[in-house]
Amino acid sequence: VDSKLISIIEEKKVIDIIPDLKCNKGSFAALIIKKITDRIKTRPEVIIIGDDKTDEDIFRKVKGGITIKVGENLQSIAKYSLKDTVEVIKFLGWFVDRS
């Protein structure tokens, strides 16, 4: 594979192989949110939960949503943080119960 066509980012337990486009997780998430907003004529409640470096693109791009960094290294631009996946499950249960 031509290395100019892809980028490879190694993380904790994953290797992201990303096409070399002018798009990242953040711009793609913004596109999805726009499409949903255009279709339902109101902005949906957006919750972004991520645990690696590539999720920072989404945290940076998504304005007005709930952004949550998961993990021990909590250096992030996300608004909130959770320690691990157990806390993520508890949060999602709490969120669904309140809805």
Side-chain angles (χ1 to χ4, degrees), residues 21-53:
L21 303 172
K22 301 296 181 223
C23 181
N24 59 35
K25 284 182 179 182
S27 54
F28 189 70
L31 175 66
I32 292 170
I33 293 165
K34 181 181 180 339
K35 293 285 186 184
I36 292 170
T37 301
D38 290 348
R39 184 175 200 99
I40 65 174
K41 306 297 184 217
T42 185
R43 183 175 163 81
E45 183 63 47
V46 177
I47 301 172
I48 305 293
I49 302 173
D51 69 348
D52 70 41
K53 187 171 26 179

Side-chain angles (χ1 to χ4, degrees), residues 23-89:
C23 181
N24 59 35
K25 284 182 179 182
S27 54
F28 189 70
L31 175 66
I32 292 170
I33 293 165
K34 181 181 180 339
K35 293 285 186 184
I36 292 170
T37 301
D38 290 348
R39 184 175 200 99
I40 65 174
K41 306 297 184 217
T42 185
R43 183 175 163 81
E45 183 63 47
V46 177
I47 301 172
I48 305 293
I49 302 173
D51 69 348
D52 70 41
K53 187 171 26 179
T54 61
D55 296 317
E56 293 298 316
D57 293 330
I58 303 174
F59 298 152
R60 196 173 357 280
K61 190 78 173 181
V62 174
K63 304 293 184 212
I66 298 170
T67 54
I68 303 170
K69 173 72 173 184
V70 179
E72 297 296 320
N73 179 5
L74 298 178
Q75 187 175 7
S76 174
I77 62 169
K79 293 178 190 172
Y80 305 99
S81 64
L82 295 171
K83 185 173 70 173
D84 53 29
T85 54
V86 172
E87 287 192 355
V88 171
I89 292 167

